[in-house]
Amino acid sequence: MDLTALNKMQYGVYIVSSTADGKMSAMIANTVFQVCAEPVLFAASISKQNFTYELIKKSEKFAVSALSEDAPFEFIGKFGFKSGRTVNKFDKVNHTISKSGKLPIVLEYAAAVYEVEVVKDIDLDTHVLFIGKVFNMQLIDEKKPTMTYDYYHKVKGGMTAKNAPTFIKK
């Protein structure tokens, strides 16, 4: 099989965040998508190795910040290549704690944000597909185009983390 064919799939670049037991974390995800319109349901594929996975599993809630193309690589790397177990990813980052779900939401470089309550999760061996009902969403900047994963790689020079569902071992 030619695994490079997977590079033709379209993805976005998102920050997925959650909180539980007084701790909060966030991570870069490229596999977040709408699966239903009524009610609005999202799905997110999250590695079981990520701290954010543990927080989503405990709280059954997560937030999604759809990043805009102007997000610099260094900003993305802060959420994608460090562990929330050892680093406060929200330090010096424009974010808020939502009133409705008490979730940490990254506002910096976000085009839109969503709050999601998990209604089902599907074990996928290394990852879990969390499916959840969107209970709040906000357009932050309609003029900013949302960053695609292709743009992240070609323009930003981004890499794929080993925990990403799209990681291909060389």
Side-chain angles (χ1 to χ4, degrees), residues 3-4 7 167-170:
L3 295 178
T4 60
N7 295 334
F167 179 75
I168 298 173
K169 192 174 184 176
K170 301 279 182 194

Side-chain angles (χ1 to χ4, degrees), residues 80-104:
F81 298 103
K82 298 176 183 174
S83 173
R85 288 182 185 90
T86 58
V87 174
N88 177 1
K89 295 185 179 189
F90 298 93
D91 186 42
K92 298 180 183 169
V93 170
N94 181 13
H95 70 284
T96 189
I97 304 300
S98 71
K99 293 179 181 119
S100 55
K102 297 186 176 45
L103 289 164

Side-chain angles (χ1 to χ4, degrees), residues 25-46:
S25 190
M27 58 172 275
I28 292 294
N30 67 351
T31 312
V32 176
F33 51 98
Q34 182 181 345
V35 295
C36 190
E38 187 62 40
V40 178
L41 297 178
F42 275 17
S45 180
I46 307 295

Side-chain angles (χ1 to χ4, degrees), residues 17 59 88 106 127 159 166:
S17 56
S59 69
N88 177 1
V106 175
H127 289 68
M159 303 164 284
T166 54

